[in-house]
Amino acid sequence: MDIMNEKVKKIIEFMDKNSIDAVLIAKNPNVYYISGASPLAGGYILITGESATLYVPELEYEMAKEESNIPVEKFKKMDEFYKALEGIKSLGIESSLPYGFIEELKKKANIKEFKKVDDVIRDMRIIKSEKEIKIIEKACEIADKAVMAAIEEITEGKKEREVAAKVEYLMKMNGAEKPAFDTIIASGYRSALPHGVASDKRIERGDLVVIDLGALYQHYNSDITRTIVVGSPNEKQKEIYEIVLEAQKKAVESAKPGITAKELDSIARNIIAEYGYGEYFNHSLGHGVGLEVHEWPRVSQYDETVLREGMVITIEPGIYIPKIGGVRIEDTILITKNGSKRLTKTERELI
Amino acid sequence: MDIMNEKVKKIIEFMDKNSIDAVLIAKNPNVYYISGASPLAGGYILITGESATLYVPELEYEMAKEESNIPVEKFKKMDEFYKALEGIKSLGIESSLPYGFIEELKKKANIKEFKKVDDVIRDMRIIKSEKEIKIIEKACEIADKAVMAAIEEITEGKKEREVAAKVEYLMKMNGAEKPAFDTIIASGYRSALPHGVASDKRIERGDLVVIDLGALYQHYNSDITRTIVVGSPNEKQKEIYEIVLEAQKKAVESAKPGITAKELDSIARNIIAEYGYGEYFNHSLGHGVGLEVHEWPRVSQYDETVLREGMVITIEPGIYIPKIGGVRIEDTILITKNGSKRLTKTERELI
């Protein structure tokens, strides 16, 4: 029995334990995780009894058959798919399923009861297999190269967007399917915006520039941030850089099986707060990375997940002073048996 | 009163008519449409009584304040946002709202009743303003340039992915935020896959190559497809190209106010069927284009929307013969007062 069937088996166990008739998987990363197929126009895995079938719109049929590890059926319109649900009263679903779709399932497929299956899928996906780790390492390698290229590309007078265009091109030429997310090249006052996607702003001398990018490679993501200064840094820039660097290094060193996500967040947060910049670190320390660029665990004050070997997370503290500028340093790391290992490897001492 | 407030006003009218206490807007394109802000980590517009407020996570606050046309509030965790919903019993929502979020709204904000607001938003967004049309025209211009570049880049021995990398780079350098969707460069047998996203396959002499791409420019999308042959086309390739071209031209000429989306779909579908290729045209004729690359109307057998001036749709018939190859020709068009206008303008006689 191959790994794909092991995943279906775990879902069937969940069905038995919770006395539900079937499970419907609709979220793209989950459909890929279970079937190996990733229909662009969407697809639905229906698990009933002991079998799993992937249903796709007609135009995805040929490709899905090529990719899928489970049987594939096609449908012309949704009503044909609803027929496959006949007789099912209680259905396991993902909590991301749209409200409108739930209404249709109630009305057209006569489903009476819904039960969330998020936890069973999270528990599988949160621990990466050796094969998954190899792919993520490659995604990180592509991101490392892109960050180095960005650092070379960033010069006075250039537009943020031009730098982003170049590094995204390189990522794709290096095998990435696409950027893991909109590349952030945020310079000067824009570096204080944690999500400052590359704009038409021109980069100026003296600017802090936050470079935050990732590659999607064979369905898996990477995520890295580096911050540089164009020209020589001033004292303030050096000061906040050193603090963020200390917090990032300490958190990476502290990451290991047994510590909770919340504790790890606190380690970095406390360092930044001790230097008096607590209010300027306005996001969580990190997040899981895998088929989604933001997944479990959330490395934040609100997630008490105990870290385990095989988890892949980011560590990305930052300090953002509105109108002035910001610094963020981020690596994607793997939780190992006794500690952690940085999967993104670009040098961190850049200012 | 500016246009943004006009949009809120229409939603308030809907609230009054349906006796609901408030409306929550959470889908990114809708948040942008109403507020002018596009928080990367998400945001919620809450419309109550006569006011509208955009709530964003703390890290999006500075940027949202810069962009938004309505007041902005920040929250650290969702519980703070749920407090803003206190006292609301019936809430208007988008049908795309996730099931898990609905459950939270019931439990934490004590919402008793939900009512879908999709129609009121669709009815606004489906008719593009002059300003929106100008932006879409620019997005189409960027796509036209990219298609021309792709045609030049496509040569024997090159990987599909390399062609995609190059044209996506050009789109970004020409002002696009990013590709409107994963660029399709599907050659040879892969051209028979309607969603054949660029792969590592090398392009060969004699291949049909489907080029399907679009640009996201200032939040609006464009969408164009052209098909070429590397070298000289054979008789079969010429035959299916001519049929698809005839169907596409006829549909573009027939598009005008008063015709339904379904009727338009039938015009192209019947031509392809008359030549005996009906079973190989396995998707709908087109779709609306705007803040989303696939929006209303659906130009299909299942959408009887009457076309009106100001709608922007695609016309994209295709013939796909599994294992052999496929042809698709697509333009983004604007429904004008008396007919239609092609917004993507690349030559269609390419084989």
Side-chain angles (χ1 to χ4, degrees):
Chain A
M1 181 173 280
D2 72 11
I3 181 97
M4 286 302 164
N5 287 338
E6 284 298 327
K7 292 170 187 169
V8 170
K9 220 172 112 185
K10 283 224 171 102
I11 293 173
I12 290 174
E13 276 169 26
F14 169 86
M15 283 164 49
D16 291 346
K17 221 177 283 174
N18 290 275
S19 308
I20 50 179
D21 302 329
V23 165
L24 175 71
I25 304 292
K27 191 173 165 172
N28 263 330
N30 293 339
V31 168
Y32 175 75
Y33 186 71
I34 292 166
S35 74
S38 53
L40 213 63
Y44 306 99
I45 295 175
L46 186 63
I47 302 171
T48 54
E50 304 242 310
S51 76
T53 306
L54 171 62
Y55 292 83
V56 297
E58 211 182 354
L59 84 166
E60 302 287 357
Y61 185 60
E62 288 299 323
M63 197 175 227
K65 267 199 306 183
E66 247 183 53
E67 296 173 338
S68 178
N69 297 290
I70 60 173
V72 182
E73 297 278 349
K74 62 184 168 179
F75 60 86
K76 260 206 168 85
K77 39 192 295 199
M78 286 303 288
D79 282 349
E80 289 175 31
F81 171 66
Y82 295 138
K83 275 201 192 120
L85 298 167
E86 254 173 34
I88 294 167
K89 293 285 161 249
S90 58
L91 184 68
I93 57 165
E94 300 145 309
S95 63
S96 59
L97 211 65
Y99 173 73
F101 191 39
I102 296 278
E103 296 290 291
E104 292 287 289
L105 289 171
K106 282 182 189 166
K107 204 165 54 185
K108 298 206 170 156
N110 206 22
I111 309 287
K112 300 288 183 207
E113 194 199 352
F114 297 93
K115 172 106 193 164
K116 282 189 266 183
V117 299
D118 304 75
D119 290 358
V120 60
I121 293 171
R122 182 199 61 204
D123 290 349
M124 289 193 277
R125 278 183 49 193
I126 202 168
I127 303 296
K128 273 65 181 178
S129 70
E130 273 181 43
K131 192 178 155 196
E132 288 177 300
I133 291 166
K134 282 216 175 81
I135 297 172
I136 295 172
E137 280 178 332
K138 176 74 182 163
C140 287
E141 196 187 308
I142 296 170
D144 272 324
K145 283 183 192 163
V147 165
M148 289 310 298
I151 292 171
E152 275 178 40
E153 285 290 318
I154 288 169
T155 50
E156 201 182 337
K158 203 171 274 187
K159 284 184 186 175
E160 293 170 356
R161 186 191 303 276
E162 292 166 355
V163 176
K166 187 65 179 287
V167 304
E168 291 180 355
Y169 170 71
L170 287 175
M171 285 199 283
K172 197 138 184 166
M173 290 302 282
N174 285 327
E177 287 154 40
K178 57 178 162 183
F181 49 88
D182 293 352
T183 298
I184 290 172
I185 304 287
S187 63
Y189 75 95
R190 296 191 78 252
S191 62
L193 306 169
H195 279 168
V197 170
S199 76
D200 284 326
K201 176 186 175 298
R202 288 193 191 276
I203 295 160
E204 291 168 59
R205 178 154 297 270
D207 274 0
L208 280 163
V209 187
V210 173
I211 305 155
D212 186 353
L213 56 80
L216 181 72
Y217 174 76
Q218 291 185 7
H219 301 278
Y220 287 83
N221 293 279
S222 57
D223 196 353
I224 180 172
T225 306
R226 290 295 183 268
T227 303
I228 61 169
V229 168
V230 183
S232 304
N234 62 34
E235 287 309 309
K236 190 73 176 175
Q237 290 170 337
K238 267 192 243 177
E239 184 199 346
I240 62 173
Y241 193 90
E242 288 304 323
I243 298 166
V244 172
L245 185 60
E246 184 182 334
Q248 205 264 359
K249 284 186 169 177
K250 196 64 205 277
V252 171
E253 283 160 23
S254 309
K256 62 179 177 201
I259 194 170
T260 68
K262 180 179 175 175
E263 285 163 358
L264 199 55
D265 181 276
S266 295
I267 287 169
R269 199 165 299 282
N270 291 342
I271 291 172
I272 291 172
E274 277 162 23
Y275 284 105
Y277 287 96
E279 64 177 305
Y280 300 111
F281 177 25
N282 57 10
H283 58 71
S284 53
L285 180 63
H287 51 83
V289 176
L291 289 170
E292 289 167 276
V293 68
H294 294 113
E295 55 176 58
W296 333 266
R298 306 291 164 177
V299 187
S300 81
Q301 289 300 303
Y302 313 116
D303 190 335
E304 311 216 7
T305 300
V306 176
L307 299 193
R308 283 187 293 151
E309 186 181 356
M311 289 185 181
V312 174
I313 59 172
T314 67
I315 301 287
E316 50 177 310
I319 293 177
Y320 312 93
I321 307 175
K323 318 284 179 215
I324 304 297
V327 169
R328 179 168 64 257
I329 301 171
E330 172 189 34
D331 284 307
T332 299
I333 71 170
L334 169 69
I335 306 302
T336 58
K337 195 169 174 201
N338 300 308
S340 77
K341 179 185 162 189
R342 286 168 62 212
L343 302 183
T344 49
K345 294 169 180 167
T346 303
E347 195 187 331
R348 288 173 289 185
E349 283 80 8
L350 292 169
I351 286 184
Chain B
M1 180 172 283
D2 71 12
I3 181 97
M4 286 302 164
N5 288 336
E6 283 298 328
K7 292 170 187 170
V8 170
K9 220 172 112 184
K10 284 226 171 100
I11 293 172
I12 290 174
E13 275 168 26
F14 169 86
M15 282 163 51
D16 292 346
K17 221 177 285 173
N18 291 276
S19 307
I20 51 179
D21 302 329
V23 165
L24 175 72
I25 303 293
K27 192 172 163 171
N28 263 330
N30 293 338
V31 167
Y32 174 76
Y33 186 72
I34 292 166
S35 74
S38 53
L40 213 62
Y44 305 99
I45 295 176
L46 186 64
I47 302 171
T48 54
E50 302 243 310
S51 77
T53 306
L54 171 62
Y55 293 83
V56 297
E58 211 181 354
L59 84 166
E60 301 287 356
Y61 185 60
E62 290 298 323
M63 198 174 225
K65 268 200 306 185
E66 247 183 52
E67 296 174 337
S68 178
N69 297 290
I70 60 173
V72 182
E73 299 278 349
K74 61 182 168 180
F75 61 85
K76 260 207 168 84
K77 40 192 292 199
M78 286 302 289
D79 282 349
E80 290 175 32
F81 171 66
Y82 295 139
K83 275 199 192 123
L85 298 169
E86 254 174 33
I88 293 167
K89 292 284 160 251
S90 58
L91 185 67
I93 57 166
E94 299 145 308
S95 64
S96 59
L97 211 65
Y99 173 73
F101 191 39
I102 296 277
E103 295 291 292
E104 292 287 289
L105 288 170
K106 282 182 190 166
K107 203 165 54 185
K108 299 206 169 156
N110 207 21
I111 309 287
K112 300 289 184 207
E113 194 197 355
F114 297 93
K115 173 105 192 163
K116 282 189 266 183
V117 299
D118 304 77
D119 289 359
V120 59
I121 293 171
R122 182 200 60 205
D123 290 350
M124 290 193 275
R125 280 182 48 192
I126 202 168
I127 303 295
K128 272 66 180 178
S129 70
E130 273 182 42
K131 193 179 154 196
E132 288 177 301
I133 291 165
K134 281 215 175 81
I135 296 172
I136 295 171
E137 280 178 332
K138 176 72 183 164
C140 286
E141 197 187 308
I142 296 170
D144 273 324
K145 283 183 192 162
V147 165
M148 288 310 298
I151 293 172
E152 275 179 39
E153 286 290 318
I154 289 168
T155 49
E156 200 182 339
K158 205 171 273 187
K159 284 184 186 175
E160 293 171 356
R161 187 191 302 275
E162 292 167 354
V163 175
K166 186 65 179 288
V167 303
E168 290 179 356
Y169 171 72
L170 287 175
M171 286 199 281
K172 197 137 184 167
M173 290 301 282
N174 285 327
E177 288 154 41
K178 57 179 162 183
F181 50 87
D182 293 352
T183 297
I184 291 172
I185 304 286
S187 63
Y189 75 95
R190 296 191 78 252
S191 62
L193 307 169
H195 279 169
V197 169
S199 76
D200 284 326
K201 177 185 174 301
R202 290 193 190 275
I203 294 160
E204 292 168 60
R205 177 155 298 269
D207 274 0
L208 279 163
V209 187
V210 172
I211 305 155
D212 186 353
L213 55 81
L216 181 71
Y217 174 75
Q218 292 185 5
H219 301 277
Y220 287 83
N221 294 278
S222 57
D223 197 353
I224 179 172
T225 305
R226 290 294 183 269
T227 303
I228 61 170
V229 168
V230 183
S232 304
N234 61 34
E235 286 310 308
K236 189 74 177 176
Q237 290 171 337
K238 267 193 243 176
E239 183 200 345
I240 64 173
Y241 193 90
E242 288 304 323
I243 297 166
V244 172
L245 184 61
E246 182 183 334
Q248 205 264 359
K249 285 186 167 177
K250 195 62 205 279
V252 171
E253 282 160 24
S254 308
K256 63 180 178 201
I259 194 170
T260 68
K262 180 179 174 174
E263 285 163 356
L264 199 55
D265 181 275
S266 294
I267 287 169
R269 200 166 298 282
N270 290 342
I271 290 172
I272 291 172
E274 276 162 24
Y275 285 105
Y277 286 96
E279 66 177 304
Y280 299 111
F281 176 25
N282 57 9
H283 57 71
S284 54
L285 180 63
H287 52 84
V289 176
L291 290 169
E292 289 166 275
V293 68
H294 293 113
E295 54 176 57
W296 333 266
R298 306 290 164 176
V299 187
S300 81
Q301 288 301 302
Y302 313 116
D303 190 335
E304 309 216 7
T305 301
V306 177
L307 297 194
R308 283 188 292 151
E309 185 181 356
M311 289 185 181
V312 174
I313 60 172
T314 67
I315 301 287
E316 49 179 310
I319 293 177
Y320 312 92
I321 306 175
K323 318 284 178 212
I324 305 296
V327 169
R328 179 166 65 256
I329 301 171
E330 171 189 33
D331 285 306
T332 299
I333 70 170
L334 169 69
I335 306 303
T336 58
K337 196 170 173 201
N338 300 308
S340 77
K341 181 185 161 188
R342 285 168 62 212
L343 302 183
T344 47
K345 294 168 180 167
T346 302
E347 196 187 329
R348 288 175 288 186
E349 283 79 7
L350 292 169
I351 287 184

